Amino acid sequence: MAGALALITAVAAAWFVWLPASRPALEPGERFGIAVSAYQGRIDWQRAAGQQFAFAYIKATEGGDFVDRQFAANWSGASKAGLPHGAYHFWSLCTPGIAQAHNFLRTVPPQPGELPPALDLELSGNCHRRPGARTLAAQLRSYLRLVQHRMRQPVVIYLGHDFADRYRLPMLYHHPLWLRQILRRPPRGWAIWQVDGNAHIDGINGDVDLDVGRLNLIPGQSSFTPYRRLR
């Protein structure tokens, strides 16, 4: 019994050492990127950008009035390091979509050539309210129409498994999708794949979300055009 427990402990320890450093093989047209927020604290963007990352997503806002305290520093740091970057908003189920759109738009500089804006849809870490699917769809449409009109790019949807299971909204699948699948490739149809949430990156304190993005996300190679209709 003691030997079995020791083996299990050793395997678990090896897993936690190996996982943060692991990276899947890239297929043609794919590049690694990262997603960060105030959770990582102050980032040395020159060191982080020197590790062959092609892009970064930076948390900007949440709900109707919250602004990530590191957003301005991260946005500036990524720009100075020459790393293509985009901003994401964490959706609150307790706040009208229009208010959330205005919070995002007054926070994020409308700089042409950056990555498309992203919207993070998760139940984990959200407020207590769970509106009906029709109500939620209407609020999301309000947010998406305004953000896409002002930023002239489609919104990338980070679709958490918990959110997708509770709210089966076909309208979300008309957007570029950002899907989480640890080490295993998601089904086809994604634009960004979150490989891991515990990566260790030189120049960044703490765990980091490691992503794989397809080349059409990167400025100068984008095939995205603003959506004229949201279903």
Side-chain angles (χ1 to χ4, degrees), residues 152-180:
R152 304 187 63 80
Q153 291 176 300
V155 174
V156 175
I157 301 292
Y158 180 99
L159 188 57
H161 293 298
D162 53 358
F163 197 100
D165 289 342
R166 183 178 181 96
Y167 294 108
R168 301 181 181 277
L169 301 178
M171 60 174 284
L172 300 178
Y173 296 89
H174 295 280
H175 290 260
L177 291 179
W178 185 350
L179 303 176
R180 175 183 173 90

Side-chain angles (χ1 to χ4, degrees), residues 29-40:
E30 296 177 350
R31 296 290 186 272
F32 284 116
I34 54 177
V36 300
S37 69
Y39 173 79
Q40 283 78 29

Side-chain angles (χ1 to χ4, degrees), residues 81-99:
L83 185 63
H85 52 286
Y88 75 89
H89 172 84
F90 186 89
W91 178 265
S92 170
L93 290 163
C94 291
T95 307
I98 285 292

Side-chain angles (χ1 to χ4, degrees), residues 36-227:
V36 300
S37 69
Y39 173 79
Q40 283 78 29
R42 188 173 181 178
I43 295 174
D44 184 335
W45 281 99
Q46 294 295 337
R47 287 170 63 192
Q51 297 173 68
Q52 298 183 335
F53 292 116
F55 66 94
Y57 266 97
I58 300 167
K59 183 175 182 179
T61 50
E62 181 174 334
D65 56 9
F66 178 85
V67 176
D68 188 275
R69 66 179 183 274
Q70 286 295 118
F71 173 71
N74 283 334
W75 193 262
S76 174
S79 296
K80 291 177 181 176
L83 185 63
H85 52 286
Y88 75 89
H89 172 84
F90 186 89
W91 178 265
S92 170
L93 290 163
C94 291
T95 307
I98 285 292
Q100 299 194 56
H102 284 303
N103 186 26
F104 182 77
L105 290 169
R106 66 174 169 257
T107 302
V108 180
Q111 297 177 348
E114 297 298 346
L115 274 62
L119 178 61
D120 186 347
L121 301 180
E122 301 179 71
L123 297 185
S124 177
N126 218 303
C127 67
H128 64 280
R129 189 178 300 168
R130 297 293 180 266
R134 286 189 178 182
T135 299
L136 176 60
Q139 294 299 324
L140 284 168
R141 285 191 183 95
S142 296
Y143 176 95
L144 293 166
R145 285 191 178 115
L146 182 55
V147 171
Q148 291 182 161
H149 173 73
R150 291 275 295 275
M151 303 199 80
R152 304 187 63 80
Q153 291 176 300
V155 174
V156 175
I157 301 292
Y158 180 99
L159 188 57
H161 293 298
D162 53 358
F163 197 100
D165 289 342
R166 183 178 181 96
Y167 294 108
R168 301 181 181 277
L169 301 178
M171 60 174 284
L172 300 178
Y173 296 89
H174 295 280
H175 290 260
L177 291 179
W178 185 350
L179 303 176
R180 175 183 173 90
Q181 192 91 331
I182 302 302
L183 298 181
R184 294 186 299 113
R185 285 181 171 272
R188 61 185 178 180
W190 52 271
I192 306 175
W193 164 28
Q194 184 183 338
V195 175
D196 182 18
N198 301 288
H200 291 171
I201 307 299
D202 189 33
I204 303 179
N205 296 318
D207 298 334
V208 182
D209 290 349
L210 178 67
D211 299 291
V212 172
R214 291 182 166 155
L215 273 180
N216 61 359
L217 279 172
I218 300 171
Q221 304 179 62
S222 176
S223 63
F224 291 154
T225 54
Y227 287 3

